[in-house]
Amino acid sequence: MHTILQPEGWAKPIGYANGMAATGRMVFVGGQVGWNAACEFESDDFVEQVRQTLMNVVAILAEGGAKPQHITSMTWYFTDKSEYLGNLKGIGQVYREIIGRHFPAMAAVQVVALVEDRAKIEIQATAVIPE
C-alpha cells in the first residue's frame, strides 16, 4: 500500500517512519484538537486529549474514504514537551487502539500555545488512499 523509506544503514525508528512513498487519492486532515464533535473539551488529561484528537483525525479520514492505515504523514503539536515525554506509554497505548500498528512519517513539535486555550495537543495528518 505504502512504501516505508528507510535509508540503508540508518537506525530503525520506533513508533514512526523517516519517510513514506505512496500513490493514490490524497486526504488532508487539518489540525485537530482534543475536543468532541460539539467543540467541547471533556478532559484536561494529556492522554485523554490525545485519544480524542486521534479519534477526530480518524473521523475526518473516514469522511474522505480513508482509514488509519492510509496515513502517510502526521505532525503533532503540543504545549509541553515534558508532559508529552512523561506520557509516552499512555500515548502509545491509545495510538495503537485508534490507529493500530501503523507508523507513518511523523514530526513532534513543542509550541508556545495552541489557538484553543484548553488544547494540549493538535495533530495534522495526510493520508493516501491507494488507486
Side-chain angles (χ1 to χ4, degrees):
M1 177 179 330
H2 300 103
T3 302
I4 294 173
L5 305 176
Q6 179 66 20
E8 188 175 333
W10 283 32
K12 184 177 179 189
I14 298 172
Y16 67 95
N18 286 308
M20 295 191 87
T23 301
R25 181 169 165 259
M26 298 181 76
V27 177
F28 301 92
V29 179
Q32 298 299 303
V33 296
W35 60 18
N36 62 26
C39 300
E40 298 170 345
F41 287 92
E42 296 177 4
S43 177
D44 289 319
D45 178 77
F46 190 83
V47 174
E48 286 307 309
Q49 283 202 15
V50 169
R51 175 189 305 280
Q52 183 64 57
T53 302
L54 291 172
M55 289 175 20
N56 294 345
V57 167
V58 169
I60 293 168
L61 289 172
E63 197 64 24
K67 297 178 180 174
Q69 65 264 29
H70 297 137
I71 299 170
T72 55
S73 178
M74 299 178 91
T75 303
W76 295 48
Y77 304 94
F78 41 82
T79 57
D80 186 337
K81 176 182 170 184
S82 63
E83 190 169 27
Y84 171 80
L85 293 174
N87 284 289
L88 287 177
K89 185 175 180 178
I91 292 166
Q93 182 177 344
V94 299
Y95 182 92
R96 288 185 303 277
E97 287 172 14
I98 297 164
I99 305 297
R101 292 196 165 277
H102 173 67
F103 305 106
M106 290 193 204
V109 182
Q110 178 176 310
V111 295
V112 173
L114 296 168
V115 172
E116 297 301 326
D117 289 335
R118 282 184 70 183
K120 296 182 172 202
I121 182 88
E122 184 168 332
I123 299 175
Q124 184 176 10
T126 301
V128 180
I129 305 168
E131 298 173 328

